[in-house]
């Protein structure tokens, strides 16, 4: 399970026409990579929906202007959450989302921006 140390909203954007917050997620473990999580408001769920997760292999030394137009950014939504002995991929995804939303004042910041 990916353990979250901190999370910050980078920007507001759209994913497939849906307004989303792009959230940079910092792991607790030094072996895990920073990911970008895209959250959208969900009237059906009464909170926020995790739209997708993107893994970045970009290096700020080589890509100092944060260019997301190349292959350093990979959509990891389908591979980030897997079925295992502890639970299903859907349960793991929900746990990640809940952990993310409980990080610092992220939910409050999302509420203010949406």
């Amino acid at each position: 399970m990916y353990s979250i140390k901190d999370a910050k909203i980078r920007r507001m954007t759209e994913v497939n026409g849906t307004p989303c917050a792009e959230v940079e997620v910092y792991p607790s473990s030094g072996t895990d990579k920073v990911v970008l999580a895209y959250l959208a408001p969900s009237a059906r769920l009464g909170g926020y929906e995790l739209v997708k997760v993107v893994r970045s292999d970009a290096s700020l030394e080589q890509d100092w202007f944060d260019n997301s137009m190349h292959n350093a950014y990979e959509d990891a939504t389908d591979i980030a959450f897997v079925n295992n002995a502890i639970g299903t991929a859907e349960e793991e995804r929900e746990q990640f989302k809940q952990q993310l939303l409980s990080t610092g004042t992220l939910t409050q910041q999302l509420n203010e921006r949406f």
Side-chain angles (χ1 to χ4, degrees):
M1 178 68 182
Y2 189 92
S3 182
I4 298 171
K5 178 180 179 180
D6 196 15
K8 297 184 183 338
I9 297 174
R10 284 176 49 145
R11 66 184 176 134
M12 301 306 287
T13 188
E14 286 188 1
V15 175
N16 298 328
T18 302
C20 293
E22 181 182 84
V23 179
E24 193 163 24
V25 184
Y26 301 94
S28 294
S29 169
T31 58
D32 288 330
K33 295 186 181 223
V34 172
V35 296
L36 300 176
Y38 293 81
L39 297 167
S42 173
R44 180 176 57 86
L45 298 174
Y48 295 96
E49 174 185 0
L50 181 60
V51 176
K52 76 176 183 174
V53 175
V54 174
R55 197 170 28 203
S56 173
D57 290 327
S59 165
L60 290 179
E61 291 81 29
Q62 295 174 353
D63 195 13
W64 56 270
F65 55 93
D66 198 18
N67 177 10
S68 63
M69 300 301 289
H70 56 79
N71 291 337
Y73 290 83
E74 171 191 10
D75 186 344
T77 309
D78 294 333
I79 60 173
F81 311 106
V82 294
N83 293 326
N84 56 41
I86 299 171
T88 66
E90 292 80 22
E91 291 169 336
E92 195 171 289
R93 182 180 177 133
E94 182 63 23
Q95 288 175 349
F96 174 81
K97 181 186 83 170
Q98 292 305 324
Q99 183 185 176
L100 178 59
L101 290 172
S102 67
T103 302
T105 60
L106 183 63
T107 299
Q108 178 185 345
Q109 293 174 37
L110 290 169
N111 291 340
E112 291 169 0
R113 293 188 185 208
F114 283 112

